[in-house]
Amino acid sequence: MNQVGEDSGSPGAALKRASDALSNAGHIVCFSGAGISAESGIATYRDPLTGIWAPHDPQTMETASAFRKNPQLVWGWYLWRRQQVANAQPNAAHLAIGQLATIGRKVSVITQNVDDLHERAGSADVMHLHGSLSTPKCFACHRPGTLPQHQMLLPADGALVEPPRCGRCSGKLRPNVVWYGEDLPSDVWKSAVALVKSCEVLISVGTSGIVTPAADIPWLALSSGATVIHVNTEDVSTAQPNELMLIGKATEVLPKLLALVPRAEQPQ
Ligand code: NAD
Ligand code: ZN
């Protein structure tokens, strides 16, 4: 295992090994989790909730049965999260990944996050394994829905409201995200696996590796022969030979790492 600042040989040796791996890679996958957005002010599920959400565990609100039991609470939770994202800005880690695509290598971004901060930081074709907060879909007929802006905002007094109805079948609208107990969209998952299996380096940022099957992504990359660079405030590595662990905040580690990667020579 190699850690920034903890390498006994030379400090920063892991950073150097990571930048060397990136410099030699033709295809890089960036795989992100809630930790990358933490410094934009979007709570991970390990952070304590405040206000009316304080008594609730997010994971118990993110299921179809919770929505059936208390649609107002679950719909309100997502309106609140949407508002949090709308008020947030991409941070230096999102921006560094956005800029990575400009150095002449193929870069794919796969995220577990339901926010749009990668897109707003300039990354194109971001693959959202767990869906997105930006649109609703029907709980009954599963068709995507559209809503006027005011219906996508938490009421100013914070009151919980009934979810709006589907224009096609009058079913309740729910967020277009993947809840616990639900399958990932199979086309998205298949495309993500194909990208991961074909990359030379995977950078895994701000993910605890607990939620499956997304948690298998770094392992899939390792077993396909890629180098995996973890960027996390905690040690999340599994001590494989082609694994590098860069411990620190994503906003500090990623810009430092990516600044060391030279632009690839373009074929004449
Ligand atoms: P997680 O909450 O389980 O783990 C977050 C990880 O990020 C931890 O390993 C933590 O050590 C690390 N971390 C925290 N701050 C960091 C920082 N500044 N820099 C680097 N690393 C940092 O998140 P997960 O692994 O993504 O899985 C949980 C699920 O939560 C996912 O399904 C995701 O969809 C959902 N989620 C998404 C958002 C979002 O869209 N922004 C927010 C909360 C939860
Ligand atoms: Zn419907």
Side-chain angles (χ1 to χ4, degrees):
M1 182 177 54
N2 296 273
Q3 304 180 341
V4 165
E6 292 186 18
D7 188 288
S8 55
S10 62
L15 197 65
K16 170 82 172 65
R17 279 188 61 197
S19 72
D20 286 349
L22 287 168
S23 303
N24 293 324
H27 180 203
I28 300 162
V29 169
C30 298
F31 173 57
S32 64
I36 197 171
S37 297
E39 292 174 78
S40 291
I42 300 175
T44 73
Y45 290 164
R46 286 142 188 261
D47 296 318
L49 291 172
T50 55
I52 62 164
W53 309 113
H56 301 285
D57 173 355
Q59 298 198 4
T60 62
M61 284 193 282
E62 305 212 338
T63 61
S65 67
F67 186 73
R68 262 186 222 105
K69 231 180 278 164
N70 197 340
Q72 293 190 352
L73 180 78
V74 175
W75 181 250
W77 160 246
Y78 281 96
L79 291 183
W80 176 78
R81 290 186 64 194
R82 222 178 156 266
Q83 193 161 301
Q84 220 190 15
V85 169
N87 293 335
Q89 296 302 326
N91 64 43
H94 298 106
L95 292 167
I97 290 175
Q99 280 166 10
L100 190 59
T102 65
I103 60 161
R105 290 171 181 80
K106 179 177 172 187
V107 177
S108 311
V109 180
I110 303 174
T111 187
Q112 296 165 86
N113 294 344
V114 292
D115 65 50
D116 61 355
L117 296 179
H118 280 298
E119 286 90 338
R120 282 160 57 198
S123 290
D125 302 324
V126 178
M127 216 171 262
H128 285 268
L129 294 182
H130 295 160
S132 155
L133 291 173
S134 59
T135 53
K137 71 175 181 183
C138 177
F139 189 59
C141 74
H142 311 295
R143 288 191 185 95
T146 46
L147 283 175
Q149 186 59 17
H150 73 273
Q151 280 190 299
M152 295 292 277
L153 296 174
L154 197 64
D157 59 2
L160 298 179
V161 293
E162 276 293 322
R165 297 285 174 159
C166 169
R168 304 286 286 272
C169 78
S170 301
K172 291 187 176 81
L173 291 180
R174 56 163 279 184
N176 198 355
V177 299
V178 178
W179 281 334
Y180 291 97
E182 293 181 334
D183 291 333
L184 273 57
S186 66
D187 51 338
V188 177
W189 177 247
K190 274 188 201 146
S191 311
V193 167
L195 286 174
V196 169
K197 284 186 169 172
S198 71
C199 75
E200 280 111 40
V201 177
L202 179 127
I203 312 176
S204 178
V205 191
T207 177
S208 58
I210 290 170
V211 179
T212 56
D216 297 335
I217 292 256
W219 180 246
L220 269 175
L222 283 173
S223 52
S224 305
T227 298
V228 171
I229 303 167
H230 297 280
V231 178
N232 201 299
T233 45
E234 289 169 17
D235 184 350
V236 292
S237 72
T238 57
Q240 298 300 307
N242 47 343
E243 223 179 357
L244 296 163
M245 181 68 235
L246 305 182
I247 295 185
K249 290 180 176 175
T251 55
E252 291 169 8
V253 176
L254 274 178
K256 210 190 283 181
L257 170 63
L258 300 181
L260 296 173
V261 183
R263 164 169 274 284
E265 294 280 325
Q266 294 300 321
Q268 296 298 312

